[in-house]
Amino acid sequence: MKIAVIGTGYVGLVAGACLAENGNDVICVDKDAAKVRALQRGRIPIYEPGLEELVRRNRMERRLTFTTDLSKGVKGSQIVFIAVGTPTGEDGSADLRHVLDVARQIGKAMNGYKVVVDKSTVPVGTADKVREAIKKETSHPFSVVSNPEFLKQGAAIEDFMKPDRVVIGADDQRSAEIMKELYAPFTRTGAPVMMMDPASAELCKYAANAMLATRISFMNEVANVCELVGADVDHVRRAVASDRRIGAAFLFPGVGYGGSCFPKDVKAMMKFASAKRYDFEILQAVENVNERQKVRLFGKMTQHFGSLKGKRIGVWGLAFKPKTDDMREAPAVPLINALLDAGAAVSAYDPEAMKVAKGIFGAGVAFADKSYDAASGADALALVTEWNEFREPDWMKIKKAMRTPVIFDGRNIFNGEQLRGLGFTYYSMGRR
Ligand code: NAD
């Protein structure tokens, strides 16, 4: 099939490359000329495992091309994906500016029947708005389909190639059949293709993300209570997770959720519910708990040191989660800002997010070339993002490098007993 993907970010680029990998001709469009130039030269602007190789292979086969010319992309395609950002607007709702701008441009470029597919995460009713925006510009026939994306950064290719489910919100047979055919190669292993109306499809994505965020905040509260009553969250988590009705995923306490999706989707869901005079109380609590949790490690540091003025804190992990360079809403940001405000010096290390972090903190933070360098001369080392390479470090080397051997483990990945045995002071989240 001939496909255009508008927006070449974490979702658009992965979707484009994976669709090309299954034999489609894909043209990826982005308004960011520098990004498109880099992609045309085979350089990938983001870090996502396996993506570079996938893009390279499909570019070489000429199934995957890149352009800033939206009109060209639309004219040559039967299916047009919208995969642009839907950031949080000033009032907390999803800002649809980019989506509707693209819809208008698609309308202007129409030269025959197209299926316009909304892959961006958008509130209920957006398919209608997209339809209206296109209709104003063209008399050609078209369908608008809602097809939310559930990939996880860090495992995006695997998730796209082998999805748990594909959700398609279509209200006409023609576009429904085209979408089913498009996704057939991705669902051969038996993943369900769930056909529904566009409103339900739009809501699915918010409900899924809100549920995941709720589990995280819930478990963070359980961990906080564990600390107060002298229980160990590891035991509690394992026992709770073994209940088949609950399951083990997304029950790890930590420093709060971040990223480009959970915070904005929780906010947007509250907002579109309240627009219908529905107060989504749980989500307000989920968000409040998360904001508190993001500075909890800082609270533990203050409690330990009294004043942080003049202290040097090493930070391991900056990205909002492992295997990505994405720092949008990353818990490392409020932590580092709080440390700097308190007069501490910060030396930080992340395997992939250093370039992005330099753009955020500039010269305010010392960036270490290697993980161990971040611990050098430090009064404490804080683990913020649980990259695999941090899991089994040489503790004696670290202890020697540090000024005082204090560890704040924001993700509960270290063995407290072992560390205390080696002479470290060790703090974690909800463990005894
Ligand atoms: P992103 O910011 O990484 O990428 C968006 C891209 O769209 C950018 O490259 C931007 O230049 C481009 N763009 C914006 N306006 C444009 C226009 N008018 N014409 C052409 N290009 C334009 O965003 P993302 O993380 O890929 O997210 C995209 C959407 O997918 C969002 O709605 C998000 O909520 C949703 N989503 C994201 C994830 C994720 O893990 N990142 C997962 C599922 C769904």
Side-chain angles (χ1 to χ4, degrees), residues 205-241:
K205 174 68 188 174
Y206 285 102
N209 273 359
M211 169 65 98
L212 293 169
T214 301
R215 283 174 73 106
I216 294 173
S217 276
F218 179 83
M219 212 54 201
N220 281 335
E221 292 228 275
V222 171
N224 297 343
V225 171
C226 281
E227 288 178 8
L228 295 173
V229 299
D232 188 320
V233 75
D234 274 352
H235 294 311
V236 177
R237 179 181 56 76
R238 272 198 291 270
V240 169

Side-chain angles (χ1 to χ4, degrees), residues 20-261:
E21 178 73 1
N22 271 343
N24 298 291
D25 285 325
V26 181
I27 180 162
C28 284
V29 181
D30 205 288
K31 67 175 183 183
D32 182 337
K35 195 180 257 191
V36 169
R37 262 198 312 277
L39 285 162
Q40 284 168 337
R41 289 192 200 118
R43 277 193 286 115
I44 310 294
I46 53 170
Y47 173 73
E48 178 61 44
L51 186 58
E52 194 164 350
E53 167 61 17
L54 197 65
V55 170
R56 193 192 60 76
R57 188 167 55 243
N58 286 285
R59 217 170 54 88
M60 293 305 221
E61 297 289 334
R62 296 187 193 285
R63 285 193 299 260
L64 184 61
T65 54
F66 300 95
T67 182
T68 52
D69 187 348
L70 187 142
S71 173
K72 179 180 156 197
V74 170
K75 283 189 165 53
S77 304
Q78 186 187 15
I79 304 175
V80 182
F81 279 92
I82 302 177
V84 296
T86 47
T88 303
E90 263 170 37
D91 64 351
S93 60
D95 183 348
L96 294 179
R97 208 172 343 155
H98 303 303
V99 171
L100 297 177
D101 181 32
V102 166
R104 278 187 291 273
Q105 291 184 61
I106 292 172
K108 285 193 180 118
M110 292 279 284
N111 57 348
Y113 175 76
K114 319 256 172 213
V115 182
V116 178
V117 185
D118 221 331
K119 195 159 250 328
S120 300
T121 302
V122 289
V124 177
T126 304
D128 295 335
K129 289 184 182 164
V130 166
R131 190 175 295 113
E132 285 309 307
I134 297 174
K135 215 169 170 178
K136 274 194 188 146
E137 306 291 345
T138 185
S139 54
H140 285 290
F142 65 93
S143 304
V144 175
V145 169
S146 169
N147 170 223
E149 181 50 57
F150 295 94
L151 64 77
K152 303 180 287 295
Q153 286 172 229
I157 292 168
E158 173 85 2
D159 287 348
F160 197 95
M161 297 301 279
K162 295 182 201 152
D164 291 339
R165 77 310 213 178
V166 171
V167 170
I168 296 171
D171 43 22
D172 67 83
Q173 203 53 34
R174 186 175 181 185
S175 62
E177 291 309 321
I178 291 172
M179 292 304 288
K180 275 195 229 166
E181 190 186 332
L182 178 71
Y183 274 106
F186 298 93
T187 51
R188 260 189 210 116
T189 47
V193 177
M194 300 178 170
M195 305 303 296
M196 58 187 81
D197 58 283
S200 304
E202 287 167 336
L203 194 56
C204 281
K205 174 68 188 174
Y206 285 102
N209 273 359
M211 169 65 98
L212 293 169
T214 301
R215 283 174 73 106
I216 294 173
S217 276
F218 179 83
M219 212 54 201
N220 281 335
E221 292 228 275
V222 171
N224 297 343
V225 171
C226 281
E227 288 178 8
L228 295 173
V229 299
D232 188 320
V233 75
D234 274 352
H235 294 311
V236 177
R237 179 181 56 76
R238 272 198 291 270
V240 169
S242 64
D243 186 323
R244 267 176 295 171
R245 293 168 303 176
I246 297 173
F250 275 75
L251 284 186
F252 291 86
V255 291
Y257 61 77
S260 69
C261 292

Side-chain angles (χ1 to χ4, degrees), residues 309-339:
K309 205 171 165 56
K311 301 289 179 205
R312 173 167 286 279
I313 310 295
V315 173
W316 272 7
L318 298 164
F320 85 91
K321 66 174 184 174
K323 296 189 187 170
T324 183
D325 59 349
D326 196 347
M327 285 195 64
R328 290 179 284 186
E329 303 273 342
V333 176
L335 170 67
I336 291 175
N337 282 335
L339 287 169

Side-chain angles (χ1 to χ4, degrees), residues 92-93 206 257 263-276 278-288:
S93 60
Y206 285 102
Y257 61 77
K264 98 174 155 60
D265 293 349
V266 165
K267 278 193 184 69
M269 190 165 192
M270 276 192 280
K271 202 68 196 173
F272 66 69
S274 82
K276 296 286 176 196
Y278 186 83
D279 185 6
F280 209 135
E281 288 184 64
I282 289 179
L283 290 187
Q284 188 58 63
V286 166
E287 183 175 63
N288 294 346

